[in-house]
Amino acid sequence: MVGQFESGKDTVQELTESAATHIGAIATIITGAVRDIARETGSWLTDLIEMREAAGKAQADEARLHRTEPGD
């Protein structure tokens, strides 16, 4: 028969192992979420930069076209 001390030790050991497993799983979920948020934020900022550059090129093209129109 298992003594009270050993039973308590086994309970603490099981709780500690369970907590470590669950905390590890939660940390993995959080790490994945942070990674995904960083990836999406970076992608969004890249899109914004590309749109800004495209708008600048369109404005430069428009200005160039107005300068080269005949009759100026």
Side-chain angles (χ1 to χ4, degrees), residues 2-65:
V2 177
Q4 186 176 3
F5 176 78
E6 188 173 354
S7 175
K9 184 229 24 127
D10 289 345
T11 300
V12 169
Q13 182 179 344
E14 286 296 321
L15 286 172
T16 303
E17 290 175 12
S18 177
T21 299
H22 290 292
I23 290 169
I26 291 167
T28 299
I29 292 167
I30 291 170
T31 301
V34 169
R35 181 194 64 232
D36 292 346
I37 290 168
R39 182 179 297 135
E40 287 302 317
T41 302
S43 177
W44 180 36
L45 290 173
T46 298
D47 289 348
L48 290 173
I49 291 166
E50 289 174 354
M51 284 186 262
R52 182 176 154 201
E53 289 174 352
K57 288 178 182 179
Q59 287 176 346
D61 286 347
E62 184 68 25
R64 192 187 80 238
L65 287 173

Side-chain angles (χ1 to χ4, degrees), residues 65-72:
L65 287 173
H66 285 324
R67 283 193 302 258
T68 59
E69 286 182 2
D72 280 347

